Amino acid sequence: MVVDKKLSCSDADLETIAPILEEYGGNHAAHLIFLKDKKIYMAANGQVIISYQKIGNKFVVLGDPIGKKGDLAEAIKEFETFSTSSGHIPIYYQISAGLLSHYHEVGYRFFKLGEEAIVNLANFTLEGKKGARLRTRRNKFIKQGYQFNVLRPPYSKALLNELRHVSDSWLSNRKEKCFSVSFFSEQYVSRFPVSILQNPEGEIIAFATLATDHTNGDQLLTIDLMRHTADRPHGTMDMLFISILFWAKENGFDRCSLGMAPLANVGTYSSSFFHEKLARLVFRYGDAFYKFRGLHEYKGKFADVWEPKYLAYKKSPFMVVITQLFLLIHRNKFKLDSEIPKLQIKNRKIG
């Protein structure tokens, strides 16, 4: 028997998934669950979290299922049954290489989306010739009186207003993206530590939320929502990143994620599929649409590990899937909020 359990979108409801995240760790995008723009399906008798959103006839899952490793294969099959029973096709966005065999067993095809940039903090240093430029930039900011701090919740209304001002300056009338990237929400920001960079006058010119997770037996810090003022001095984000990495290293973290570099190292082989070769051309020449190469090169200044992420899809033409993903990510978050006033958790129980 299938029992649907819908909960209101409160912190108490989100805590129903907290024990699973605490015990098994999350995937690289687990923190985005707390944006509350997705639905949650609890597979394996409530022991595996699947975070997804609907667009058209698709249920788009963000990242791999979260839970006990031995339950994940069955959770994928269970979500397949749940989706198709309501006339929807499940697809998985930004999954890891480690579980590809489980998706393959259910009939999925794959497309490499890009790579997640990871900094091995044990190796992070600005010493030597390689770190000279960043070292000089950091020293300049320090000498001029810029200050870096990491704040922890709860936050005052005044601080949240200042962070919103920075975010609005960065957006400059652009619409927020959603689903696979974070957007500014006071409630979301208030869940995490926030790193801030202040100018000599004490004004915040840049900030980043810091999401923590325990995966693969080590401690991973993710630089999540990043914003800066439009008139920030050159090198501001370098200074913010360097400061976060040193702080993370000093506070016992093993790795730091800088997020995805879309289309990085896709279609680089002569035997690559047509769609992958096309993606390579977009990566190299598509700066008018998105700074693919620039983002990869920027994150490459810090990252020393690149973890591939994939799209798993079936039963639909590839370009239809890509178009639907684009529309989902660029969907107006305010429209999305009105469509999903509650965090919906569907809990499948046997009995």
Side-chain angles (χ1 to χ4, degrees):
M1 180 175 65
V2 178
V3 179
D4 288 348
K5 186 177 181 182
K6 296 183 179 181
L7 304 179
S8 61
C9 198
S10 68
D11 288 341
D13 298 327
L14 290 172
E15 293 308 318
T16 61
I17 66 175
I20 297 174
L21 293 172
E22 193 69 29
E23 182 173 359
Y24 300 111
N27 58 38
H28 73 289
H31 54 281
L32 298 179
I33 291 174
F34 297 99
L35 285 169
K36 303 177 183 178
D37 65 339
K38 303 169 189 66
K39 301 177 183 179
I40 303 295
Y41 181 81
M42 302 299 294
N45 290 315
Q47 296 303 303
V48 175
I49 302 166
I50 295 178
S51 173
Y52 72 102
Q53 186 48 262
K54 175 185 179 298
I55 185 163
N57 65 338
K58 304 293 192 305
F59 280 167
V60 184
V61 179
L62 181 60
D64 295 306
I66 301 168
K68 186 178 179 181
K69 188 175 181 179
D71 291 337
L72 300 185
E74 287 304 314
I76 292 170
K77 295 175 183 177
E78 183 180 328
F79 189 73
E80 177 87 6
T81 300
F82 164 74
S83 301
T84 56
S85 66
S86 61
H88 294 88
I89 301 171
I91 63 176
Y92 289 80
Y93 185 68
Q94 293 189 9
I95 60 175
S96 63
L99 296 181
L100 291 185
S101 62
H102 294 327
Y103 299 103
H104 178 73
E105 289 179 2
V106 192
Y108 285 94
R109 292 174 284 175
F110 306 105
F111 174 79
K112 185 178 179 182
L113 294 164
E115 296 180 341
E116 181 184 8
I118 305 288
V119 181
N120 186 337
L121 293 170
N123 299 333
F124 178 70
T125 180
L126 297 184
E127 296 178 1
K129 184 178 180 180
K130 184 178 179 181
R133 182 173 295 182
L134 291 176
R135 183 172 66 245
T136 299
R137 181 156 291 169
R138 178 178 185 244
N139 291 340
K140 180 181 178 180
F141 271 84
I142 293 174
K143 185 177 181 180
Q144 292 178 346
Y146 289 82
Q147 293 190 354
F148 169 82
N149 284 291
V150 174
L151 311 177
R152 296 182 182 276
Y155 302 126
S156 67
K157 186 65 177 178
L159 175 64
L160 291 171
N161 286 339
E162 189 169 4
L163 296 179
R164 180 177 287 281
H165 172 75
V166 174
S167 179
D168 289 344
S169 178
W170 180 86
L171 281 169
S172 185
N173 297 319
R174 292 173 296 180
K175 292 181 179 180
E176 294 267 26
K177 297 178 183 178
C178 58
F179 185 67
S180 61
V181 292
S182 52
F183 52 79
F184 188 90
S185 157
E186 290 187 6
Q187 192 173 38
Y188 180 74
V189 170
S190 294
R191 293 193 66 93
F192 304 103
V194 175
S195 58
I196 61 172
L197 185 64
Q198 295 169 287
N199 64 18
E201 291 71 44
E203 300 167 328
I204 299 175
I205 62 169
F207 74 87
T209 57
L210 305 176
T212 58
D213 188 22
H214 299 265
T215 56
N216 301 321
D218 61 4
Q219 291 200 36
L220 172 70
L221 181 76
T222 297
I223 302 178
D224 181 25
L225 179 69
M226 296 172 280
R227 298 287 154 96
H228 58 70
T229 57
D231 59 351
R232 84 286 183 194
H234 179 68
T236 290
M237 295 310 289
D238 281 347
M239 179 60 183
L240 183 63
F241 272 49
I242 292 167
S243 301
I244 292 172
L245 293 173
F246 275 125
W247 177 88
K249 187 173 183 177
E250 292 167 2
N251 283 270
F253 288 92
D254 301 302
R255 301 183 301 153
C256 183
S257 170
L258 309 182
M260 282 282 291
L263 303 186
N265 293 316
V266 177
T268 57
Y269 298 101
S270 59
S271 58
S272 297
F273 294 113
F274 171 77
H275 294 314
E276 295 169 332
K277 290 180 179 180
L278 181 61
R280 184 65 178 172
L281 292 176
V282 173
F283 177 83
R284 295 180 64 181
Y285 304 111
D287 282 358
F289 303 99
Y290 190 86
K291 303 298 182 182
F292 294 102
R293 276 200 300 178
L295 184 61
H296 182 244
E297 290 171 0
Y298 182 79
K299 293 184 177 183
K301 294 194 296 185
F302 307 97
D304 55 353
V305 177
W306 296 90
E307 297 186 355
K309 293 292 183 284
Y310 298 89
L311 169 70
Y313 67 103
K314 59 165 61 177
K315 297 181 180 179
S316 294
F318 176 77
M319 291 309 300
V320 171
V321 173
I322 292 298
T323 300
Q324 289 179 315
L325 286 170
F326 177 85
L327 294 174
L328 177 60
I329 294 168
H330 290 80
R331 179 185 287 175
N332 189 314
K333 82 176 183 67
F334 298 105
K335 179 181 178 182
L336 189 61
D337 289 343
S338 66
E339 291 174 350
I340 310 172
K342 296 181 179 181
L343 175 71
Q344 298 182 20
I345 297 184
K346 295 183 181 290
N347 193 358
R348 187 180 184 87
K349 297 182 180 179
I350 307 298

